[in-house]
Amino acid sequence: MKILSERYEQYDIPQQLMAAGIYPYFRAIKSGQDSEVTINGKGVLMFGSNSYLGLSNHPKIKEAAIKAIEKYGTSCSGSRFLNGTLDIHLELEEKLAKLVGKDEAICFSTGFQANLGTISALCGRNEYLLLDSQDHASIIEGSRLSLAKILKFAHNDMASLESKLMLCEPDKNKLIVVDGIFSMEGDIVNLPEIVRLKEKYNASLMVDDAHAIGVIGQNGRGTSSHFNLTQDVDLIMGTFSKSLASIGGFIAGDKEVINFLKHNARALIFSASMPPASVASVSAAIDIMLNEPERMKHLWDLTKYAHQAFISAGIDTGKSETPIIPLYVRDDMKVLKLARILLDEGIFVNPVISPAVSKDDAMIRFSLMATHTYEQLDVAVEKIIRAFKELDVAPRFQRIE
Ligand code: PMP
């Protein structure tokens, strides 16, 4: 047997889960990412998507993508730095900077790369990165590449952040990086308090708005807009793979910082640029987001309705206040079983188990889209509550803190 195959043949957890019929990953969807999708020839209600505004299959966006392919082809065949910059990349960057209220923006080919490239370029040896313990994996990976000293503070805990800031040498560069809406927990970062601490300790602040754009802030402008603190946040990062119906990511900030990143972020320089169809899709999605505020309103009406329904059934939704609703189960095996039962019942939800979260935080991640109907939501909530009872999931308030 080959050396690598021999080394990894022992890794058979996925095969064990498949044999038990509870393997939940890489499920093939045979339709667009709508509120109902097709899996195994069957209609399934989608409550596991990040398409918060429900735009991924929108006719105007598809039309924009098709037109871009017709004009520019399917690939830029190179990096933004060299042959891969189109006029539509520059137009999109201008639109994004204006959207989030910053001087300039630069697009990366994924949100992951935006975090990786930005954080690793901006912080170096003998400098500090202060990260929320629940920050996204791409922030962690970017931090590792940076060689800076990483100080993690307890999730959204401002006393913990301050205690870490106090450990930093005062005259050294310090960058605080947080998610705006946390991707699994669904809570919103305590931005006003972070801004106060950032000023007190002379630090800089970057907010990852992957899950906040299209969800909070004026017309979906994100966390800084939500708190009216745009001028106090140095860098705003966003992805296009969630509300904006495409793929790619951006970072926006002062023109001096963006200029530096354009010439130093390796994930930008050494990777091919966003393809034309993706660029055009984002631009069309932003127009819809700005011109159809009723989508965000419906998303929030559904959100309040769903929170109420889960909480009154005794399901533990933690500190979520957004369309991302964690349904805490706190048991990996039960989470996998629930995901399977629910799929069989025609409900798609995301199982989140260790090591993605600690064992005590294993959950079903339930997420809403602006295109869901109340009828669809009622069906899902009813089936979820029944499945939780069937598997005897400990209700809210029984958790020992
Ligand atoms: N940041 C956060 C908070 C995310 O949740 C994600 C994706 N799940 C990313 C960054 C990476 O974005 P992308 O999927 O566009 O690479």
Side-chain angles (χ1 to χ4, degrees), residues 58-297:
H58 193 289
K60 277 193 192 156
I61 301 177
K62 291 202 276 198
E63 193 189 316
I66 290 164
K67 278 197 175 139
I69 289 180
E70 279 166 0
K71 179 164 180 190
Y72 300 97
T74 50
S75 167
C76 295
S77 313
S79 137
R80 288 295 305 282
F81 201 61
L82 298 171
N83 60 308
T85 293
L86 297 172
D87 53 355
I88 51 173
H89 285 114
L90 302 178
E91 283 160 25
L92 176 62
E93 285 164 353
E94 222 173 277
K95 199 169 190 171
L96 287 162
K98 207 166 143 214
L99 180 80
V100 298
K102 291 287 163 200
D103 286 354
E104 287 184 12
I106 178 85
C107 290
F108 290 69
S109 298
T110 66
F112 198 105
Q113 280 174 264
N115 276 335
L116 206 70
T118 300
I119 298 169
S120 58
L122 292 185
C123 272
R125 218 180 279 280
N126 299 322
E127 299 184 324
Y128 298 95
L129 277 160
L130 295 109
L131 311 182
D132 186 289
S133 65
Q134 300 309 111
D135 274 351
H136 188 257
S138 52
I139 296 175
I140 312 293
E141 294 309 313
S143 304
R144 285 187 181 146
L145 284 181
S146 78
L147 305 179
K149 199 166 165 50
I150 300 170
L151 299 173
K152 279 198 190 175
F153 56 94
H155 177 50
N156 223 357
D157 179 333
M158 296 302 117
S160 174
L161 170 59
E162 182 155 27
S163 72
K164 301 297 175 191
L165 281 163
M166 279 158 65
L167 296 176
C168 303
E169 290 176 65
D171 56 340
K172 292 270 160 65
N173 186 21
K174 302 176 263 308
L175 179 63
I176 304 169
V177 190
V178 287
D179 289 11
I181 293 179
F182 287 88
S183 55
M184 296 295 152
E185 296 74 15
D187 52 345
I188 303 176
V189 75
N190 185 351
L191 200 62
E193 191 54 17
I194 295 189
V195 164
R196 189 185 73 75
L197 291 173
K198 158 205 141 124
E199 300 294 335
K200 182 170 170 190
Y201 291 90
N202 210 14
S204 305
L205 174 59
M206 169 171 163
V207 176
D208 174 336
D209 260 351
H211 299 270
I213 287 181
V215 177
I216 55 174
Q218 193 210 1
N219 287 64
R221 283 179 167 80
T223 314
S224 312
S225 159
H226 173 76
F227 287 106
N228 215 357
L229 287 170
T230 299
Q231 295 322 310
D232 300 282
V233 173
D234 302 279
L235 289 166
I236 297 175
M237 174 272 176
T239 64
F240 307 140
S241 58
K242 308 192 192 298
S243 288
L244 298 179
S246 184
I247 185 139
F250 75 93
I251 186 90
D254 291 345
K255 61 181 188 318
E256 296 80 4
V257 185
I258 301 304
N259 174 55
F260 178 79
L261 288 173
K262 276 166 83 170
H263 300 95
N264 290 276
R266 292 165 69 82
L268 176 83
I269 296 170
F270 296 101
S271 186
S273 62
M274 279 177 75
S278 305
V279 177
S281 312
V282 179
S283 190
I286 292 174
D287 292 344
I288 294 174
M289 179 177 92
L290 296 178
N291 294 326
E292 298 178 15
E294 60 275 15
R295 285 180 177 269
M296 204 168 112
K297 168 148 190 338

Side-chain angles (χ1 to χ4, degrees), residues 314-388:
I315 293 183
D316 184 354
T317 54
K319 293 189 174 148
S320 168
E321 335 163 47
T322 66
I324 300 170
I325 311 182
L327 308 173
Y328 286 102
V329 176
R330 307 189 190 286
D331 179 319
D332 283 353
M333 276 318 273
K334 278 190 188 176
V335 166
L336 293 172
K337 282 183 189 158
L338 280 164
R340 176 61 206 246
I341 291 172
L342 289 167
L343 186 65
D344 290 346
E345 294 266 337
I347 312 293
F348 189 111
V349 286
N350 285 314
V352 183
I353 58 172
S354 62
V357 290
S358 85
K359 264 195 164 51
D360 285 345
D361 288 331
M363 66 164 91
I364 292 290
R365 182 185 184 273
F366 181 89
S367 53
L368 290 158
M369 297 154 88
T371 40
H372 282 130
T373 62
Y374 283 103
E375 291 71 36
Q376 289 174 325
L377 182 51
D378 280 338
V379 170
V381 167
E382 196 257 317
K383 290 188 171 172
I384 289 171
I385 293 172
R386 192 156 14 102
F388 270 52

